[in-house]
Every structure is written in structure tokens, then in C-alpha cells.
Amino acid sequence: MSWINQIPPAAQAYLEQNRLDEVECVIADLPGIARGKAVPASKWEKQGHFHLPNSIFFQTITGDWGEAAGPDGFLEPDMILKPDLSTATATPWATDGTLQVIHDAFDQKGKPVAFAPRNVLRRVVALYEAEGWHPIVAPEMEFYLVGRNIDPAKAIEPMMGRTGRPAAGRQAYSMSAVDDYGPVIDDIYEFAEIQGFEIDGIAQEGGAGQLEINLRHGDPLKLADEVFYFKRLIREAALKHDCFATFMAKPIEGEPGSAMHVHHSVVDNKGRNIFTGPGGGETDAFFHFIGGLQEHMPSAIALIAPYVNSYRRYVEGEAAPVNLEWGRDNRTTGIRIPISPPEARRIENRLPGMDCNPYLCIAASLACGYLGLKNEIRPDKRWRGEASESEAEIAGSLSDALDLFDEAKELHAVLGDDFARVYSIVKRTEYTEFLQVISPWEREHLLLNV
């Protein structure tokens, strides 16, 4: 069992207290859902890899398939999935001792599968590394705790708090609101500690039953793995207390949407923040990164707002910005520069929704910044005051966002052309599926009136 020395300390500590019974071999598909196999521990210790068909990356959120297999046809050849032991973590809600391990996807010739989301992010990070740059990110996760909803025809409602009343909305940063669903939060903390994840803080957000979890900054791939794991962790903690956790961008009508804001900085080979000069001032690289976000984010919106529901969050006058202005300590701008000391200078992208795939969201945001750095793109003038007065600069629907994405050849070159092809086909298939569904609004207002 020499592999035990290669897994993180938290996973080792878990195995000291629990006999390993099973290993969940997982990989994130395009929506960010965990796909894979559960393998008995005795078998997993003997295998160096396992197989899944490459078609898992052609599957839509409904379980249908996009015709994205390419010229060879829909043959579903097996991929070779190899474990990344640095991702091993406990599954604390399991009855028996269970580890989860994220795997990387390779084709049968040993080449990384270009449309596997983790490989997309790794590709973007490698472009930074080739320049002597090391990106650092810090995601903020917003989500809702809601009542159990087993009938899709019924509206989603906030969870019931300890007072016996539904969780109150518009109570941002309220400590009593956080206490209202304390047992769920306690289990989130406990699961995170067992899994070795560090939470920087939990706060009540503006919606009814809406919370935000901040994660400590670090390596993009590691943080994307943590968000991937956290989504499952939070869902399991909620289910223990007879409620659901949802990461939909806009789950409840009339309540704020849920974002995954991403903070970025970049350091050089000596660990120095390239956004800060020797005298503590802002560098050209700082402004070029902002310029890249402004120039290329419109084409990347399809990756950070991947569903029809995502665009319900982008409403002028609400908390989610619909602009690409940049401002200092200004939460109405799409690109915000938080207060920080020079050595920690960073840039916050406030556009992504929490429904995104964390690998693809972080990859897209970093790709835009990379193009800004490489092409030395100058940003627009800093925005002062409320940016609600600025014109909307992002697509208003998934269809429009995909049109922009399809034309973004420079962005495709950074993310990978084969990934861009597959992603567009799968998302357009989803959009077509959505158009087949007649909504309650249509039945209410069109049935007898048109």
C-alpha cells in the first residue's frame, strides 16, 4: 500500500480511523457532474487505471447526447482514466470507509482528452507556466438551501429554519439568519475538515436561505477540484437535514441569483505578484489582464453562464453585473479591484454563475486574462459610480452567447479547438431540448389570449 504515502494528510488521517472499503473513481463531465465507478478497495489497489467511454463528455444535462463524436462517428471508444492521488479525499457521509479520487482522461495513445474539463484548465495553466507566470485564484461560492422539491412543476421555496418559518430573504450578513440553519452549516464544516478543505468563511447572502462560502486562494487546478468536491459535500450535508442545496444561477423568483466570483492574481517564478511593481504601484500586466477580461469575456460567457437559467441572473439593477466595466472596490462593476495590500493585489471577475463547471469557468477567465497579457490589451477607463448606468455588454441568452463563443477563434486556440467544437455542439443540443418544453408562463398567458 505504498500509494498511501502519496495521498494528502487528511486522507491518510481518515484511513487511520476507517478501514478502506471502497474507492470512488470520479471525473467531471461538461456540466461538472461526477462520473465514474465505485471500486472495492482490494481491486483498486491492484489497478493503475480504469475505462469509461468518451461519450460522457457528449452528454447533456438532461442525459441526452450531442452529436459531437467527430468524423469517426459515435463509436464510444474507451478512455484511459488515471488517478491523481493528490486529489484523494474522504467521503465522510458514506457508511463504510470510502475515498474519492479524481482521475484524468487520456486517449488510447496516451494523449490527454482535449474536451475533458480538467484537461482544459490544465492546458490554460500550462500556457501561463510557459511564460514564467503562475496564476492564483480564489473562488467564492454562493448557493441556496431550499425545501425538498420533488415536483418540478412546483416553485422552489426556501428551507424551513429552526424557528419553524421559512428562511428569511434580504438578510445579507445576518448572523441570526446563519444560525437558522446552523445544523447544516455544522455538517458542512465537519465534512470539509475531514476532507482537508479550508473554508475562509461562511456568510448569509441576500436571498432567502442563500449562503456564501469563501475558499482560500491557491493553485487553479486545486481550487477547481475543491469546488467540484464542495458541491457534492454541501448537497450531502443538506440532505442529512431534509433540505436540498442548489447551485442554480437563479432558483427562486424574486430572489438574487447565485454567483461564483473568482479572484485572480499572477506571480512570477520568484513568487512576486506581477500586478505590483517594485514601488508598490500597479503594473502594465495588471491593466493588460483587465483589458483581456473586457475584450474576451463576452465570447466566454457561454462557459461561465452555461444554461438557459443562467441568464435569469443577469438583470439590470440587480446584484449580478451585466457590464464589463472595471472599478475599485465597486460591486456594481463586472470587474472589481478589491481593497488589498500591494503584494496581494488581485482582480475579481464577478460575472460567473454558481451553475458553472468550476474547471471551465476558471479556465475561461484565466484564458481571457492570458490573452490580455500576451496581446497587451489596454482596458477602458476606470468606471466611477454605479455601473448600472453602463450599457449591458454580455449576451442576454444562451443562444446569443454560443454564437459569440463560436466566433472566438483566439479564445478557442487557448482553450483547445476540439474542446470548443464539442462544447458548442453539446450546449446547442441542450438549448434545443429546452425549446421543446412548454412553460407555465406560456400556458397561463398564451393558452386563451392569443
Side-chain angles (χ1 to χ4, degrees):
M1 297 178 66
S2 60
W3 58 268
I4 289 183
N5 297 324
Q6 302 176 54
I7 65 176
Q12 294 182 32
Y14 175 77
L15 292 182
E16 290 174 1
Q17 303 295 324
N18 297 273
R19 176 182 175 274
L20 183 61
D21 183 69
E22 190 173 72
V23 178
E24 296 178 342
C25 306
V26 297
I27 187 169
D29 65 1
L30 286 192
I33 297 170
R35 305 285 179 185
K37 295 180 179 179
V39 180
S42 57
K43 179 180 178 180
W44 185 81
E45 289 172 355
K46 298 174 184 177
Q47 70 177 30
H49 64 271
F50 78 103
H51 298 129
L52 281 180
N54 70 359
S55 56
I56 67 168
F57 297 118
F58 309 151
Q59 196 167 17
T60 68
I61 194 68
T62 68
D64 211 333
W65 309 92
E67 295 295 334
D72 293 336
F74 205 82
L75 305 181
E76 296 191 278
D78 271 340
M79 302 179 294
I80 299 171
L81 301 186
K82 299 180 181 180
D84 181 345
L85 291 177
S86 71
T87 69
T89 187
T91 310
W93 50 86
T95 304
D96 299 313
T98 305
L99 286 182
Q100 305 172 74
V101 181
I102 294 173
H103 286 55
D104 286 312
F106 300 86
D107 65 20
Q108 293 174 23
K109 295 180 180 179
K111 294 176 59 178
V113 173
F115 36 80
R118 199 167 189 256
N119 287 342
V120 175
L121 177 54
R122 183 179 274 118
R123 172 193 174 97
V124 175
V125 171
L127 291 174
Y128 276 82
E129 302 281 352
E131 301 291 334
W133 302 326
H134 309 279
I136 296 172
V137 302
E140 299 174 352
M141 303 173 57
E142 296 177 354
F143 61 95
Y144 276 87
L145 297 175
V146 300
R148 293 178 65 92
N149 184 296
I150 57 176
D151 182 357
K154 291 186 177 180
I156 297 172
E157 297 178 347
M159 69 166 286
M160 198 68 67
R162 63 176 179 171
T163 60
R165 301 175 66 184
R170 311 296 177 179
Q171 297 293 327
Y173 304 108
S174 165
M175 297 308 299
S176 61
V178 170
D179 292 341
D180 213 19
Y181 22 83
V184 182
I185 293 175
D186 289 344
D187 278 333
I188 290 173
Y189 272 121
E190 182 181 357
F191 289 167
E193 182 178 358
I194 293 171
Q195 293 188 256
F197 303 146
E198 190 170 355
I199 295 176
D200 214 28
I202 293 182
Q204 163 73 24
E205 269 295 332
Q210 188 184 33
L211 294 171
E212 176 181 278
I213 291 181
N214 298 329
L215 304 182
R216 284 188 58 80
H217 61 274
D219 174 76
L221 199 64
K222 180 178 182 292
L223 267 298
D225 289 339
E226 287 192 12
V227 174
F228 171 66
Y229 276 141
F230 256 106
K231 282 191 171 184
R232 187 178 186 194
L233 176 165
I234 293 166
R235 286 192 180 102
E236 291 292 338
L239 286 172
K240 273 190 65 177
H241 298 278
D242 201 35
C243 64
F244 289 171
T246 181
F247 303 96
M248 284 177 65
K250 185 79 167 181
I252 302 178
E253 183 178 336
E255 296 288 350
S258 290
M260 191 181 88
H261 302 150
V262 183
H263 294 247
H264 306 78
S265 58
V266 182
V267 299
D268 62 17
N269 287 329
K270 294 182 178 180
R272 295 175 299 203
N273 189 334
I274 71 169
F275 293 163
T276 298
E282 293 158 346
T283 61
D284 286 342
F286 170 79
F287 292 105
H288 293 158
F289 195 101
I290 295 171
L293 291 176
Q294 288 187 324
E295 178 78 16
H296 293 284
M297 278 308 303
S299 301
I301 289 294
L303 297 174
I304 68 170
Y307 303 104
V308 289
N309 178 263
S310 307
Y311 298 84
R312 298 187 187 279
R313 175 175 158 261
Y314 297 129
V315 179
E316 290 190 49
E318 293 290 334
V322 294
N323 64 78
L324 286 160
E325 307 294 351
W326 75 277
R328 301 184 192 280
D329 196 25
N330 186 342
R331 285 181 169 83
T332 68
T333 56
I335 302 165
R336 172 178 173 258
I337 312 305
I339 297 173
S340 64
E343 63 274 14
R345 182 168 283 122
R346 62 194 189 273
I347 298 165
E348 178 187 8
N349 184 349
R350 294 179 60 78
L351 293 171
M354 194 60 238
D355 55 349
C356 68
N357 177 316
Y359 300 102
L360 298 182
C361 171
I362 294 172
S365 198
L366 285 175
C368 294
Y370 172 81
L371 289 170
L373 291 169
K374 289 290 288 182
N375 298 333
E376 298 184 353
I377 300 172
R378 298 297 300 182
D380 295 338
K381 187 177 179 181
R382 168 193 171 188
W383 188 271
R384 298 174 185 272
E386 289 191 22
S388 55
E389 299 173 11
S390 172
E391 293 183 7
E393 299 175 88
I394 61 174
S397 70
L398 179 59
S399 178
D400 290 346
L402 287 169
D403 287 344
L404 291 173
F405 177 69
D406 286 347
E407 297 167 3
K409 301 308 178 187
E410 200 171 8
L411 188 62
H412 295 179
V414 176
L415 298 170
D417 289 326
D418 206 24
F419 161 73
R421 177 188 66 83
V422 169
Y423 187 82
S424 179
I425 291 171
V426 172
K427 299 312 294 187
R428 288 189 183 279
T429 302
E430 276 184 5
Y431 187 67
T432 299
E433 292 169 351
F434 168 76
L435 292 178
Q436 310 308 310
V437 178
I438 309 303
S439 69
W441 186 95
E442 291 166 278
R443 290 192 290 271
E444 179 177 353
H445 297 291
L446 302 183
L447 181 65
L448 301 178
N449 292 335
V450 298

